[in-house]
Amino acid sequence: MSSYLLRRVREVAAARNVACRGILVGSAARDTWLSGDRDIDIFLAVPEDGDITAALEIAREIAPEHEERYAEHAYVHAQIDGFDVDLVPCYDVSDPSRIKSAVDRTPFHSRYISARIKGMEDDVLLLKQFMKGVGVYGSDLRTGGFSGYLAELLVIHYGSFLRVLEGASSWRPGTRIELAQGAEMSAPLVVIDPVDPKRNVAAALTLDRMFQFVAAARCFLKSPDISFFFPQEAHTMSPDEIRGEIERRGTEFVLLEISAPDMVDDVLYPQMRKAEAAVRGLLEREGFQVLRSDVDLLRGGDVRARLLFELSIWELPSVRRHIGPPVWEEEHASRFVRGNPSPISGPYIDNGRLVVEIPRRYTRAVDLLKGEIHRISLGKHLSSGRMRTLSTREMLEQMDENLAEFLTAYLHKRVRVC
């Protein structure tokens, strides 16, 4: 398929009289792609002073039935004979220091790896499958894990799959790996890009995913097992099983569903995480206690962001303490008393400060969110979306297959630690 696509780039470029060459990049270009992967990345490179929109027109002709996506500029994504194909315009720069957009760097990555990976392809495949099996493979912002390029650089740096695991076993936050001398950076893991020393290849890796990998590496070295590479597929619980698990936990859940625009995950997931933090802050400021929370994105038809909150304290008394200023701050104290003319109790003095007890507006977390969610910012693409707030009972009554999968993953969250 890749040979066919490269030939089509040559044919269409020649027919259009456009200076453009196709470049196969990614794991398919260096025999390090995992069995079952159906991704092919073809870059359409035009000269530095060329017209990148001409390359996009070539991509559109090669794949008439396509979806246009956007990174720093538009590219074509299509399904061709069962393969997920990305046709990505770029500039054919002579040096990575002259790149015009981030994608221009990728052909240099491909050449760097191809020149150094010979004889270690199987080690790369083992490492990628191990990362996939333990849930840390993928540098998208949803996963926050290791990219394929990062996995390849780790094998080149350490020399083999096992040596990567041995090296990772002693990683600490801020570990730095230099394949070239690079700039100072702050991140959980810093791996200097040998193609662009100002860049951290591990920039998308989160602290939690980093140490999920570290913990799994230690476990594997102590007791190697095929299940690290191919874990048993998780069983999605039935609604009755989910209900029983929630009852066993003795907590309450609140689910927010927000309609979202049809945008790529790397745009929506950061906003969903910010919205999650904002809602959590609202709940905790009002005295409710969040045990844990998570987010999910439902595609197919309407796009919906799901924000799940598990509460260990979800109902509060009708009265709450409102603590005021120290009594010796006369002006502030007077203003506080005037501002609370009809308290249930008080004002009284506790440890030198004025205190009143006043009615609580919302005694249930779900009512707080239904009444006040519009007052907090949920991000550019979520704040204007249609929204509904579901209690545990409502969530269980309206269970669908996707929600069952989300709740199963949430309730059975577990990593390998030895």
Side-chain angles (χ1 to χ4, degrees), residues 361-376:
R361 185 174 182 185
Y362 298 101
T363 61
R364 298 195 314 151
V366 67
D367 294 333
L368 169 67
L369 295 187
K370 287 179 178 180
E372 301 295 325
I373 192 71
H374 63 283
R375 297 184 183 275
I376 62 173

Side-chain angles (χ1 to χ4, degrees), residues 374-394:
H374 63 283
R375 297 184 183 275
I376 62 173
S377 173
L378 299 177
K380 177 181 178 181
H381 297 296
L382 297 180
S383 288
S384 59
R386 297 186 310 278
M387 187 180 313
R388 61 178 186 154
T389 305
L390 305 178
S391 65
T392 300
R393 178 183 57 79
E394 293 167 328

Side-chain angles (χ1 to χ4, degrees), residues 170-355:
S170 61
W171 285 353
R172 298 290 184 273
T175 291
R176 184 180 177 92
I177 295 173
E178 289 193 315
L179 290 99
Q181 187 173 359
E184 287 299 317
M185 305 175 198
S186 178
L189 177 67
V190 176
V191 179
I192 300 299
D193 189 343
V195 166
D196 182 357
K198 301 185 296 296
R199 176 175 176 266
N200 176 18
V201 181
L205 179 66
T206 67
L207 183 68
D208 289 349
R209 287 288 187 254
M210 175 182 174
F211 284 97
Q212 187 174 333
F213 174 67
V214 169
R218 291 173 181 166
C219 288
F220 181 83
L221 292 171
K222 290 178 182 178
S223 182
D225 190 271
I226 193 69
S227 64
F228 284 88
F229 300 93
F230 302 101
Q232 185 176 358
E233 190 172 340
H235 157 72
T236 299
M237 293 190 293
S238 69
D240 284 343
E241 289 173 321
I242 291 171
R243 181 180 293 104
E245 183 67 19
I246 291 174
E247 288 175 354
R248 187 174 72 85
R249 294 168 75 89
T251 56
E252 179 75 9
F253 285 78
V254 178
L255 178 70
L256 292 181
E257 282 197 347
I258 309 169
S259 62
D262 189 5
M263 306 182 75
V264 296
D265 286 4
D266 277 4
V267 171
L268 291 178
Y269 265 87
Q271 291 203 14
M272 289 162 62
R273 289 298 182 189
K274 289 180 181 178
E276 176 190 16
V279 174
R280 187 182 188 120
L282 171 63
L283 288 164
E284 293 181 342
R285 283 195 302 274
E286 294 298 319
F288 302 100
Q289 187 169 312
V290 179
L291 177 68
R292 186 154 55 97
S293 58
D294 204 353
V295 302
D296 188 38
L297 188 63
L298 178 62
R299 294 193 180 274
D302 293 336
V303 180
R304 282 177 284 164
R306 282 173 162 164
L307 282 61
L308 181 70
F309 299 88
E310 182 180 10
L311 296 125
S312 52
I313 297 176
W314 62 91
E315 193 162 359
L316 295 167
S318 297
V319 63
R320 70 178 181 91
R321 276 166 55 98
H322 182 30
I323 301 174
V327 177
W328 55 86
E329 294 181 0
E330 182 177 358
E331 183 178 342
H332 291 148
S334 296
R335 188 182 304 128
F336 178 77
V337 172
R338 291 195 303 272
N340 296 277
S342 304
I344 294 175
S345 295
Y348 56 84
I349 299 171
D350 186 351
N351 199 29
R353 304 183 78 97
L354 286 172
V355 179

Side-chain angles (χ1 to χ4, degrees), residues 50-71:
D51 181 7
I52 203 166
T53 59
L56 183 61
E57 289 297 331
I58 292 172
R60 289 168 175 159
E61 182 172 341
I62 292 171
E65 295 183 9
H66 65 267
E67 172 189 347
E68 288 196 15
R69 297 180 177 177
Y70 293 84

